[in-house]
Amino acid sequence: MRRLGTGIGWRPEIADAVEHMPGIDWVEVVAENVCPGHLPDSLLRLRERGVSVIPHGVSLGLGDAERPDAGRLAALAERAEALGSPLVTEHIAFVRAGGPLTASPRLEAGHLLPVPRTRDALDVLCENVRIAQDALPVPLAVENIAALIAWPCEEMTEGQFLYELADRTGVRLLIDVANLHTNHLNRGEDPAKALAELPLEAIAYVHVAGGFERDGVWHDSHAHPVPRPVLDILTDLASRVSPPGVLLERDENFPEPTELERELGTIRAAVEAGEREGSLARASATTGEHDTTETVTGTGIGTRTATGTKTRTATVDESAPDASEPAPTALDEATRQRLGLAQAALLSALVAGTPVPEGFDRVRLGVQARALAAKRADVVAKVAPELPLILGSGYRTAFIAYAQGHPMHGGYRQDALDFAEETLLGGRLTEGRARRELRRWWLDRSGPAPRPKSRLGQVGRVGRTLIRR
């Protein structure tokens, strides 16, 4: 795996700062937020300087029960080619459920939800990853996500699940140490145990980010400074394997550039501290009388010392899969349907208010449902910034109330239109300036073409129609 170095998530709000930031070797961009034919000038200038740009997808839904959408895969491939990227990344998550597979309404989560760590889910995920690998022009790496909820009756730990995924598909891993911290606080999972079980040689790069605690729940916000426990997990990881790349994620509430540079310096220091610890531990181990090392060639997954500690002595052959391994068998469609029914029941409870499926924590599901509604409100405010301006301080309360009874069926732009329509038809706004402006905004965008901006424009349109006759 090529070494990337230190990077930062490129966002339009900090584009200028990133360009002038010292020591930035590469950047990551949200794939869905860039258009291949109209790349931002800032990204083009970074590319000209030799800075690698990696597209990071958020909507493919590799953990969905259905197969990945061919159009979404083609769009991700197009972005990778336009950016000259060495790889692309996505998440181990499901983002939609329902539809023909389960004979139920299709629902969109609007955010990343955890897949159950079960054999069925792993089988589906492996086949979906293979489909994506075949469609993409560069290698794929997949990221562990932060979770507020846990599925009942899971059969594997996170480390075991990721190990088998990488072993069966050869996919690379994007390890988010902030998400390991989140799952430690919210689900009681030990980050050190997860790292010990991971196929470290499969790591493509590492994410680092901040969050906040509210009412005993840690929220992975990407809008706060990186806390010390996350840096400690990064140091632990770096003591086990030298990560090819480490990237700071920040999505909003951006600080001054000097503060971002300080955080990047702290991240570098955490990696260096881990590498020093690892070097000392390995030097000490080589002096032991009974230390032996088994070297594995091929995928490089599973190399361990006799004491069970993973080393970095595995070699990686990326040219071809092991010919001795049998080809993967076709997945039974009933497996997809079982997973689809479980995901649809959970998502319906979260976004449509249906009963909580058996075995789930009702309180924690309520926290997740509110988090999904808040996420929708935030994203809609970005894609339709006129709505908060029109509705003022009442926008967020109104949207969250709407979201709790109205699942998202399309994208965020359609969600904005549906919210405006429901607000107008539901009588939540009395006659006045806000209602008039919201009605005008909705009418301008809800038809097949924009409305004329003035009465003169309407006259012009009528005139052109008459002339064509």
Side-chain angles (χ1 to χ4, degrees), residues 158-180:
E158 181 162 43
Q160 292 166 343
F161 192 81
L162 295 176
Y163 188 99
E164 286 216 28
L165 172 65
D167 193 38
R168 289 169 57 176
T169 65
V171 73
R172 292 290 174 177
L173 298 178
L174 193 180
I175 297 301
D176 191 315
V177 292
N179 291 348
L180 293 179

Side-chain angles (χ1 to χ4, degrees), residues 97-135:
L101 184 66
T102 58
S104 61
R106 185 176 295 279
L107 299 173
E108 294 274 348
H111 197 43
L112 306 166
L113 293 174
V115 298
R117 297 171 195 157
T118 61
R119 289 291 165 189
D120 276 358
L122 180 61
D123 289 344
V124 170
L125 178 62
C126 285
E127 185 171 90
N128 287 352
V129 164
R130 293 189 195 101
I131 292 170
Q133 288 171 317
D134 290 342

Side-chain angles (χ1 to χ4, degrees), residues 210-453:
F212 67 95
E213 186 271 336
R214 178 192 294 153
D215 299 329
V217 176
W218 184 264
H219 296 267
D220 179 46
S221 66
H222 295 186
H224 296 78
V226 179
R228 173 47 57 183
V230 171
L231 294 170
D232 291 342
I233 298 172
L234 176 61
T235 296
D236 187 3
L237 184 149
S239 73
R240 301 164 187 264
V241 65
S242 180
V246 181
L247 180 127
L248 171 63
E249 286 190 294
R250 190 75 177 237
D251 292 339
E252 54 187 333
N253 192 26
F254 298 101
E256 292 297 318
T258 53
E259 178 60 22
L260 290 175
E261 292 174 20
R262 188 198 65 77
E263 280 208 286
L264 286 167
T266 304
I267 288 168
R268 291 188 187 97
V271 172
E272 291 167 1
E275 290 176 340
R276 286 194 301 272
E277 290 178 14
S279 295
L280 290 173
R282 284 186 291 276
S284 175
T286 56
T287 62
E289 294 181 357
H290 305 291
D291 183 57
T292 59
T293 302
E294 175 188 6
T295 300
V296 180
T297 60
T299 62
I301 294 171
T303 306
R304 301 173 188 269
T305 65
T307 58
T309 303
K310 296 189 178 180
T311 72
R312 295 181 289 177
T313 60
T315 59
V316 181
D317 179 8
E318 296 179 341
S319 60
D322 187 345
S324 65
E325 293 182 1
T329 57
L331 184 64
D332 182 2
E333 202 65 19
T335 303
R336 287 189 178 275
Q337 188 173 51
R338 285 194 300 271
L339 179 63
L341 289 170
Q343 290 180 339
L346 173 60
L347 187 52
S348 181
L350 289 171
V351 303
T354 56
V356 173
E358 184 178 356
F360 281 95
D361 184 324
R362 293 176 179 272
V363 174
R364 190 54 64 87
L365 248 65
V367 174
Q368 179 71 83
R370 291 190 292 274
L372 289 177
K375 178 71 173 180
R376 281 173 66 185
D378 291 341
V379 178
V380 165
K382 290 181 179 179
V383 302
E386 302 88 354
L387 292 179
L389 293 176
I390 292 171
L391 299 176
S393 60
Y395 161 75
R396 189 173 180 82
T397 300
F399 189 93
I400 290 176
Y402 155 81
Q404 289 172 345
H406 298 82
M408 184 167 67
H409 297 287
Y412 282 108
R413 286 179 174 80
Q414 185 60 50
D415 206 22
L417 288 170
D418 292 344
F419 164 65
E421 181 179 16
E422 176 63 24
T423 301
L424 290 167
L425 296 179
R428 294 188 175 90
L429 281 180
T430 58
E431 289 296 335
R433 181 192 59 80
R435 182 177 177 83
R436 290 193 300 272
E437 290 186 6
L438 183 62
R439 181 176 182 275
R440 187 181 302 117
W441 181 90
W442 180 79
L443 288 172
D444 284 345
R445 291 160 178 79
S446 60
R451 294 195 311 151
K453 297 297 182 183

